[in-house]
């Protein structure tokens, strides 16, 4: 178990189970959907939602495990998605305490949209720096950003409800 905060614990097994579940869902379901040849980014979405619910260490852990699952499916260097999702999870998790808790739905949607764009900007930048892969053409890249954001915004409520139930922290008696 990993301790998050003063009195909350989340088992690592649940984080791994969630990442494997998203991997299976992506292979069997999400990879079949595309809009203008853009598919959902469920691994990045899992890192974002996890960071909002678990804070910096939990967000980084969930981001790294979901990123590793994405790396297993991609043709890019192993660890690139893990790095991107881990950075997003850690960064957003560190900001979690400063976000407006009264408007949780709006905060979640803004975080999903902005972190999806950030992740999709960071990924090709790192791919260029590490593996010398070229950037997509500007119009294609803009299409990817817009439609990946739309996909993630559509999937966010379901992901948030599922992760909230599965990753609900257990209170530790003192």
């Amino acid at each position: 178990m990993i301790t998050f905060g003063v009195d909350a614990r989340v088992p690592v097994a649940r984080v791994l189970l969630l990442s494997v579940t998203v991997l299976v869902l992506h292979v069997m379901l999400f990879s079949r959907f595309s809009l203008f040849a853009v598919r959902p980014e469920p691994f990045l979405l899992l890192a974002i939602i996890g960071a909002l619910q678990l804070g910096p260490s939990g967000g980084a852990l969930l981001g790294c495990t979901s990123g590793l699952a994405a790396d297993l499916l991609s043709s890019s260097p192993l660890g690139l998605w893990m790095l991107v999702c881990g950075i997003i999870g850690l960064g957003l998790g560190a900001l979690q305490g400063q976000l407006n808790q009264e408007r949780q739905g709006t905060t979640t949607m803004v975080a999903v949209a902005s972190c999806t764009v950030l992740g999709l900007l960071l990924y090709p930048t790192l791919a260029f720096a590490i593996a010398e892969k070229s950037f997509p053409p500007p119009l294609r890249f803009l299409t990817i950003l817009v439609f990946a954001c739309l996909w993630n915004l559509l999937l966010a409520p379901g992901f948030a409800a599922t992760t909230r139930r599965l990753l609900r922290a257990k209170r530790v008696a003192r």
Side-chain angles (χ1 to χ4, degrees):
M1 291 208 184
I2 294 178
T3 302
F4 300 102
V6 177
D7 59 347
R9 291 180 181 247
V10 175
V12 174
R14 290 184 186 185
V15 169
L16 294 173
L17 174 67
L18 192 55
S19 295
V20 169
T21 303
V22 170
L23 175 71
V24 170
L25 279 173
H26 180 72
V27 168
M28 298 186 78
L29 185 65
F30 297 136
S31 64
R32 301 189 192 288
F33 297 138
S34 75
L35 190 58
F36 294 101
V38 178
R39 291 186 173 86
E41 294 290 342
F43 304 105
L44 185 57
L45 180 60
L46 184 60
I48 296 165
I49 297 294
L52 288 172
Q53 294 178 7
L54 299 174
S57 7
L61 176 67
L62 193 54
C64 286
T65 58
S66 67
L68 183 59
D71 279 330
L72 295 174
L73 298 177
S74 76
S75 61
S76 63
L78 188 64
L80 193 56
W81 269 117
M82 187 169 113
L83 179 62
V84 169
C85 292
I87 289 171
I88 295 291
L90 179 65
L92 184 59
L95 295 174
Q96 174 208 27
Q98 299 170 358
L99 299 176
N100 187 350
Q101 298 300 324
E102 294 172 9
R103 296 178 177 231
Q104 190 174 11
T106 305
T107 302
T108 300
M109 291 305 176
V110 169
V112 166
S114 58
C115 288
T116 299
V117 169
L118 180 63
L120 292 176
L121 286 171
L122 190 57
Y123 181 81
T125 304
L126 290 174
F128 176 74
I130 295 170
E132 297 181 3
K133 294 198 177 212
S134 61
F135 281 83
L139 186 57
R140 175 69 186 140
F141 189 64
L142 183 62
T143 304
I144 291 169
L145 287 177
V146 168
F147 287 103
C149 275
L150 289 175
W151 275 119
N152 280 1
L153 287 170
L154 285 172
L155 294 172
F159 269 65
T162 302
T163 56
R164 192 175 308 114
R165 282 189 63 104
L166 187 61
L167 298 176
R168 185 176 300 140
K170 295 179 183 178
R171 297 289 169 196
V172 177
R174 293 185 186 217

